[in-house]
């Protein structure tokens, strides 16, 4: 379990770092070019590492459900939508919404046993956990809004003071 937690923490930090890089690329070359480069370089890296670690066995794709082949196309949507949401919402808020959405949908898919997942009972504690996270995002966003309002008021007051002295 500890290894799973450590790997999850590493994955979260890497996703955050990747989102920063993707956002900077997006500012310079555009959304679709960034998406293409991110996924192309990810393919090159994972293919090379896969061959080095697993050898030719990684090319054996028997007994796979046909819809699993669409995972890469889903990745296009993930990268593109995440870059756009970060641009429109600001990185921290966008990531918070994405993570909550991810958790909520994982909970639904687990509880329904979709896509070949083992069906996990939906309990009130799990629903409450997701709702607590949603409440945290709401509190975060409300606090951010108040901070922006206070900042604007201070700037307005400073401008008024400056005009009075000028």
């Amino acid at each position: 379990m500890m290894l799973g937690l450590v790997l999850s923490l590493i994955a979260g930090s890497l996703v955050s770092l990747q989102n920063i890089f993707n956002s900077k690329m997006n500012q310079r070359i555009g959304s679709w070019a960034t998406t293409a480069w991110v996924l192309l370089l990810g393919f090159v890296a994972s293919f090379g590492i896969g061959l080095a670690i697993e050898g030719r066995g990684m090319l054996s794709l028997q007994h796979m459900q046909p819809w699993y082949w669409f995972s890469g196309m889903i990745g296009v949507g993930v990268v593109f939508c995440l870059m756009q949401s970060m641009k429109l919402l600001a990185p921290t808020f966008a990531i918070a919404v994405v993570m909550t959405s991810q958790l909520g949908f994982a909970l639904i898919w687990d509880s329904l046993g979709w896509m070949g997942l083992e069906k996990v009972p939906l309990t009130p504690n799990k629903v409450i956990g997701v709702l607590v996270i949603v409440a945290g995002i709401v509190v975060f966003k409300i606090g951010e809004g108040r901070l922006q309002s206070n900042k604007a008021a201070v700037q307005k007051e400073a401008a008024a003071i400056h005009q009075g002295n000028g």
Side-chain angles (χ1 to χ4, degrees):
M1 182 169 161
M2 187 57 106
L3 179 60
L5 290 172
V6 169
L7 291 173
S8 295
L9 289 170
I10 292 170
S13 68
L14 292 175
V15 167
S16 294
L17 185 61
Q18 181 188 27
N19 290 330
I20 293 168
F21 291 175
N22 291 355
S23 178
K24 297 299 182 184
M25 282 181 70
N26 184 29
Q27 291 171 359
R28 288 173 178 74
I29 65 173
S31 299
W32 288 112
T34 298
T35 301
W37 277 108
V38 165
L39 295 174
L40 174 67
L41 293 172
F43 168 78
V44 169
S46 61
F47 193 77
I49 293 168
L51 280 177
I53 293 174
E54 297 176 6
R56 289 184 174 209
M58 76 173 256
L59 302 175
S60 175
L61 304 174
Q62 310 103 314
H63 311 296
M64 188 180 309
Q65 297 293 340
W67 55 81
Y68 295 157
W69 292 79
F70 293 98
S71 177
M73 289 183 217
I74 293 169
V76 171
V78 170
V79 172
F80 180 81
C81 290
L82 193 49
M83 283 187 302
Q84 295 306 308
S85 66
M86 287 178 64
K87 188 174 13 176
L88 297 169
L89 299 176
T92 306
F93 184 50
I95 294 298
V97 172
V98 167
M99 289 175 64
T100 304
S101 173
Q102 185 177 0
L103 180 61
F105 279 101
L107 182 63
I108 291 168
W109 290 324
D110 276 350
S111 66
L112 296 175
W114 286 359
M115 300 292 175
L117 295 174
E118 182 179 329
K119 197 170 185 176
V120 177
L122 181 64
T123 64
N125 286 349
K126 292 177 183 174
V127 173
I128 290 169
V130 171
L131 292 176
V132 166
I133 293 171
V134 170
I137 292 172
V138 169
V139 168
F140 173 82
K141 192 61 181 168
I142 289 170
E144 182 181 81
R146 287 187 181 154
L147 179 63
Q148 294 298 329
S149 296
N150 291 343
K151 186 177 178 181
V154 168
Q155 288 174 342
K156 187 175 181 181
E157 190 175 316
I161 292 170
H162 181 68
Q163 285 178 342
N165 290 335

